[in-house]
Amino acid sequence: EVQLVESGGGSVQPGGSLRLSCEISGFSYSYMRRCVGWFRQAPGKDREAVAAIIGGSGVAKYHDSVKGRFAISPVSPENTLYLQMDSLRPEDSGMYHCVLDHDVRGDCLLADYAYDYWGQGTQVTVS
């Protein structure tokens, strides 16, 4: 069974930083050519993609609102994905979910339908 377990969320003031982690287990295939990423959802708002990366590379894509502030890492040898979030804003608040695409793609999609596996999420509050 594939499991994605997020951690690292919390409450910070505007301008602060957080580092989210996602431990991935039970996936039998290589991450090297598969996309992993992060989505977020705030109460009353649609879920949106934050960032995605082909697991074994440095090729990443970001939502326009987080470019220059957030950084997603390739999957580590310990099967952990990270999201470094700096210069946080109140509008960054929400539940952050780690995601994994089972299919091999040449380019990651910032669309929720592309991702087969989802973690339960970790809450980020900026206020």
Side-chain angles (χ1 to χ4, degrees):
E1 179 187 4
V2 178
Q3 289 190 320
L4 287 71
V5 180
E6 303 93 337
S7 61
S11 296
V12 295
Q13 294 182 343
S17 297
L18 285 173
R19 188 192 193 203
L20 304 185
S21 301
C22 173
E23 295 185 23
I24 305 171
S25 62
F27 191 66
S28 302
Y29 305 93
S30 171
Y31 302 113
M32 296 298 291
R33 296 168 61 198
R34 289 175 167 85
C35 294
V36 289
W38 294 89
F39 280 70
R40 67 186 179 191
Q41 187 166 23
K45 294 187 177 180
D46 292 335
R47 183 165 58 191
E48 63 181 8
V50 175
I53 189 170
I54 295 178
S57 76
V59 180
K61 297 177 73 170
Y62 297 91
H63 190 279
D64 285 347
S65 67
V66 307
K67 287 180 180 177
R69 301 188 297 121
F70 289 13
I72 187 172
S73 68
V75 178
S76 75
E78 295 77 28
N79 295 336
T80 301
L81 178 70
Y82 298 99
L83 181 69
Q84 178 66 41
M85 306 188 297
D86 298 320
S87 302
L88 283 162
R89 305 167 180 169
E91 55 264 38
D92 294 319
S93 297
M95 185 68 76
Y96 282 68
H97 298 271
C98 176
V99 297
L100 169 63
D101 184 354
H102 182 274
D103 296 329
V104 173
R105 299 183 192 273
D107 188 25
C108 294
L109 299 177
L110 294 180
D112 56 7
Y113 64 79
Y115 295 89
D116 304 283
Y117 304 104
W118 293 69
Q120 292 297 308
T122 185
Q123 180 68 39
V124 172
T125 303
V126 186
S127 65

